[in-house]
Amino acid sequence: MTYLQEGTRAPAFTLCDQNGQRVSLSDFSGQKVLVYFYPKAMTPGCKVQACGLRDSRNELDALNVVVLGISPDPVARLKKFEDKDELNFTLLSDEDHAVADAFGVWGPKKFMGKEYDGIHRISFLIDEAGTVAKVFNKFKTKDHHEVVLDYLKQL
């Protein structure tokens, strides 16, 4: 599994959000976009990660950063996740994992001795021109938002 590297053009994509509306990466041209991939809505680690981003919304807005969370969950599950945890950013459904494949984050995983294919928890900061400015691949779910904000504040 080889994921996109810094300096690479982010792949164009359009997916349905938690409300069933089509959202494209190009909708956010001229803004920074944090595209974060997570395995499954409403699981403990994914909840902690999402709530950290939710609670950082004002800081991210001040830094001109839009958050797009992508998982292979269906739209209905994303809506439940949004409602249950009062999320304030866009969640996108990538059921066929085509976007995860394009970013290089779909691949073999191991859990409790079982091997399977799934999404690797990696985030990409896309700059205003559509280029991968930073790859976040070393963080804990509870401090993901802090790692992202620390990087953004250095720019």
Side-chain angles (χ1 to χ4, degrees), residues 4 14 21-22 25 44-45 85 97 120 128 141:
L4 290 182
T14 301
Q21 301 297 309
R22 293 173 61 78
L25 181 60
D85 292 304
H97 58 82
H120 290 256
E128 295 88 343
T141 55

Side-chain angles (χ1 to χ4, degrees), residues 1-4 11 37 70 94 96-107 117-119:
M1 186 189 86
T2 304
Y3 52 84
L4 290 182
F37 289 90
I70 300 178
D94 186 24
D96 65 359
H97 58 82
V99 175
D101 281 333
F103 276 78
V105 300
W106 183 267
D117 283 344
I119 282 190

Side-chain angles (χ1 to χ4, degrees), residues 1-5 34-39 49 68-70 100 103-106 109 119-125 132 134-139 144 148:
M1 186 189 86
T2 304
Y3 52 84
L4 290 182
Q5 298 299 305
L34 179 68
V35 176
Y36 89 95
F37 289 90
Y38 63 98
Q49 184 177 17
L68 301 177
I70 300 178
F103 276 78
V105 300
W106 183 267
K109 296 177 78 168
I119 282 190
H120 290 256
R121 197 182 297 274
I122 298 174
S123 299
F124 300 86
L125 181 66
V132 176
K134 179 71 176 167
V135 177
F136 300 97
N137 59 359
K138 293 182 177 147
F139 57 84
H144 175 245
V148 170

Side-chain angles (χ1 to χ4, degrees), residues 48-90:
V48 167
Q49 184 177 17
C51 289
L53 289 167
R54 174 199 67 199
D55 296 344
S56 302
R57 175 73 187 261
N58 290 340
E59 289 176 273
L60 291 164
D61 285 350
L63 295 163
N64 193 33
V65 177
V66 173
V67 175
L68 301 177
I70 300 178
S71 75
D73 295 299
V75 168
R77 185 171 176 92
L78 297 179
K79 185 63 178 164
K80 277 185 179 173
F81 190 28
E82 176 194 39
D83 292 344
K84 185 175 182 192
D85 292 304
E86 299 177 356
L87 301 179
N88 54 11
F89 55 87
T90 302

Side-chain angles (χ1 to χ4, degrees), residues 11 27 30 33 63 84 92 100-101 108 112 130 149:
D27 295 343
V33 181
L63 295 163
K84 185 175 182 192
L92 298 172
D101 281 333
M112 296 180 72
L149 284 169

